[in-house]
Amino acid sequence: MKIDRQTSGDPAFDTLLGGGLEARTITQLYGEPASGKSTICLVAAIATLRAGHPVVYIDTEGFSIERFRQIAGEDTEKLADRLFLFEPLDFEHQAIVIAEAEKVLKTQKPRLLVMDSATALYRTDLEKGRDALQSLTKQMIHLLGYAKRYEIPVIITNQVYMDTTRNTWYGLGGYALEHISKVIVRLEKAESPGLRRARLVKHRSRPEGAMIEYEIIESGIRSRT
Ligand SMILES: Nc1ncnc2c1ncn2[C@@H]1O[C@H](COP(=O)(O)OP(=O)(O)OP(=O)(O)O)[C@@H](O)[C@H]1O
Ligand SMILES: [Mg+2]
């Protein structure tokens, strides 16, 4: 049987996910600003690069070379060589970039695709209403197609909005993103300063609510459990 899991770069996070990132699947990380979404994406990308595999990285928020360097350390230049970075400028361009990424998937055989964030540019297009939501859904179906065809894990991150009546953060993109992500992890700031929590919201073979605590550090994340 084919091995269909690979490390996220952090052992506790792997355990939370039931043994690592699952191939042929979209894993969604959502959470408030500074909860650690981009950090975890970088940690996973760098772990995949260290294992010798290329990575497709779609960054809508301005890729931080400085942060990549902090996490990758001495190997930065070597690892960055196999990082295929795409930086869409707006939501329409995001769809084009997703389509263009297939060339890399075909020729370079990456073992991970990251999209950080799936919804930041969508958010700025929200006034277009249903059209934007349909386009987001199409983009996510496109990514899921890649996950399945190329047998790789896809990580997407999702911005949140605060529902003030319930005092709760909700992920953007609603059902479009909820259904298509087979694993959903919510990242949140804990009570004590610097501490974060990753909580399993959806998983096919693990109990909902499972949780780890972690800190964001120079070299990535450090889990407490
Ligand atoms: N070198 C570092 N050492 C410790 N903490 C760091 C370091 N670099 C960044 N951080 C912390 O990481 C947090 C930001 O994490 P990250 O960028 O992963 O959040 P995010 O969930 O992607 O946020 P956003 O929604 O704004 O994109 C901030 O609290 C920042 O202080
Ligand atoms: Mg981020």
Side-chain angles (χ1 to χ4, degrees):
M1 203 156 91
K2 227 181 162 99
I3 298 166
D4 64 353
R5 287 186 189 278
Q6 66 194 53
T7 185
S8 66
D10 180 80
F13 202 69
D14 283 350
T15 305
L16 183 75
L17 298 176
L21 294 163
E22 202 175 330
R24 298 182 287 274
T25 296
I26 293 179
T27 296
Q28 179 191 153
L29 308 175
Y30 81 95
E32 62 196 287
S35 54
K37 301 180 293 296
S38 298
T39 307
I40 292 176
C41 288
L42 284 171
V43 166
I46 288 165
T48 308
L49 291 165
R50 279 198 206 288
H53 307 293
V55 171
V56 171
Y57 206 101
I58 305 172
D59 193 311
T60 64
E61 304 188 305
F63 186 78
S64 171
I65 293 163
E66 187 51 36
R67 194 67 183 117
F68 183 90
R69 192 179 296 281
Q70 286 176 358
I71 299 171
E74 287 177 354
D75 300 332
T76 297
E77 313 307 327
K78 203 175 78 193
L79 297 181
D81 263 0
R82 276 186 286 193
L83 182 78
F84 292 87
L85 180 63
F86 294 86
E87 296 187 278
L89 304 170
D90 56 36
F91 189 55
E92 250 170 68
H93 191 212
Q94 181 167 312
I96 295 168
V97 154
I98 289 173
E100 279 177 355
E102 182 149 30
K103 270 185 246 143
V104 178
L105 288 158
K106 269 189 187 145
T107 56
Q108 305 294 326
K109 307 251 181 297
R111 282 283 288 275
L112 176 67
L113 187 152
V114 173
M115 169 125 215
D116 181 26
S117 118
T119 49
L121 298 174
Y122 162 72
R123 183 172 234 166
T124 59
D125 234 30
L126 265 181
E127 70 276 11
K128 293 188 187 153
R130 283 181 67 89
D131 282 356
L133 188 58
Q134 269 177 8
S135 173
L136 180 68
T137 306
K138 265 193 205 154
Q139 291 182 16
M140 294 306 111
I141 290 171
H142 208 152
L143 290 181
L144 182 61
Y146 289 162
K148 290 184 170 165
R149 204 165 320 132
Y150 298 100
E151 306 193 316
I152 57 170
V154 168
I155 303 175
I156 62 171
T157 68
N158 192 7
Q159 316 288 107
V160 291
Y161 65 92
M162 171 60 90
D163 182 332
T164 43
T165 53
R166 294 187 192 164
N167 204 27
T168 307
W169 293 102
Y170 285 95
L172 280 174
Y175 289 122
L177 259 67
E178 248 177 83
H179 284 302
I180 211 146
S181 314
K182 289 299 168 216
V183 179
I184 302 181
V185 180
R186 172 181 159 158
L187 306 180
E188 58 200 27
K189 290 184 179 168
E191 297 71 32
S192 33
L195 196 64
R196 309 275 193 275
R197 273 192 211 108
R199 197 185 291 275
L200 211 50
V201 172
K202 178 178 167 186
H203 197 286
R204 282 179 290 190
S205 57
R206 297 263 301 139
E208 282 168 21
M211 198 253 297
I212 60 162
E213 291 185 329
Y214 63 96
E215 289 166 273
I216 299 176
I217 56 170
E218 168 113 3
S219 60
I221 63 167
R222 179 168 55 212
S223 40
R224 287 240 180 136
T225 34

